[in-house]
Amino acid sequence: IEFHAPNLPDRPRFAAARLDEILASTGGHVALVGSSLGGFYAATLAQRNRLRAALINPAAYPYQRMQAYFGCNENPYSGVRYELDQTDLAALAALETPPFEDPSNCLLLLQTADEVLDYREALTKWPQCPKVVEAGGSHQFENFERQIPLILDFLFPSQ
């Protein structure tokens, strides 16, 4: 397995373009894993390219929630400051895709005590997908390491 964990631009339209570039440069079997906004991006790429994806506490409708963050923000990981505005919400909304043609290509991993996102939004958006819903937890998905074998088996099923 060749693993990529790219540092994405903070602005959604640039992040989406970067992900498309990465996907275009890969060869062989590709599978996606994303958490939070990364889960939204992974779902979009998976649906557009018929790939398998594991979504961990994903943002189902980020363009509906991010208006509260308009203005100056700081990336907590890189310390980079950036402006979020209406063009970013429009870029996210443009990434919206119809439901998975084959819901078995998407694995949802959700924890009910996610303090950032309501796990029920993901259940509503992707109801037919296989899922693991754990009581409690957090947005970081507590004890994630327990799910790694399940994720790998899902993304790379034996033929």
Side-chain angles (χ1 to χ4, degrees):
I1 295 174
E2 186 177 328
F3 178 76
H4 295 266
N7 288 324
L8 297 176
D10 296 304
R11 305 292 299 270
R13 67 180 176 271
F14 300 124
R18 178 71 182 117
L19 288 168
D20 285 338
E21 289 171 9
I22 293 167
L23 189 58
S25 72
T26 61
H29 182 86
V30 174
L32 305 163
V33 177
S35 174
S36 193
L37 183 56
F40 176 78
Y41 290 145
T44 298
L45 286 172
Q47 290 178 74
R48 288 182 176 174
N49 298 283
R50 294 191 172 110
L51 301 172
R52 292 177 79 78
L55 312 180
I56 303 153
N57 286 336
Y61 307 101
Y63 46 87
Q64 294 176 353
R65 299 181 146 269
M66 293 181 71
Q67 201 162 14
Y69 300 100
F70 275 9
C72 189
N73 292 276
E74 183 174 320
N75 182 310
Y77 306 105
S78 67
V80 171
R81 298 181 69 76
Y82 64 96
E83 292 282 327
L84 191 70
D85 60 30
Q86 187 62 41
T87 61
D88 296 303
L89 295 189
L92 287 170
L95 294 174
E96 185 64 73
T97 56
F100 278 91
E101 259 183 57
D102 182 358
S104 67
N105 281 338
C106 172
L107 173 65
L108 288 175
L109 294 126
L110 306 168
Q111 290 188 327
T112 63
D114 183 333
E115 68 282 7
V116 176
L117 300 169
D118 185 339
Y119 76 98
R120 294 170 291 198
E121 290 181 359
L123 290 175
T124 299
K125 184 170 185 175
W126 300 293
Q128 303 300 321
C129 296
K131 61 191 77 46
V132 173
V133 181
E134 294 184 352
S138 71
H139 189 59
Q140 293 181 348
F141 204 95
E142 302 297 321
N143 301 305
F144 171 76
E145 64 279 358
R146 288 180 292 123
Q147 301 300 334
I148 293 173
L150 172 71
I151 292 169
L152 290 174
D153 288 343
F154 175 79
L155 296 177
F156 305 103
S158 56
Q159 302 288 325

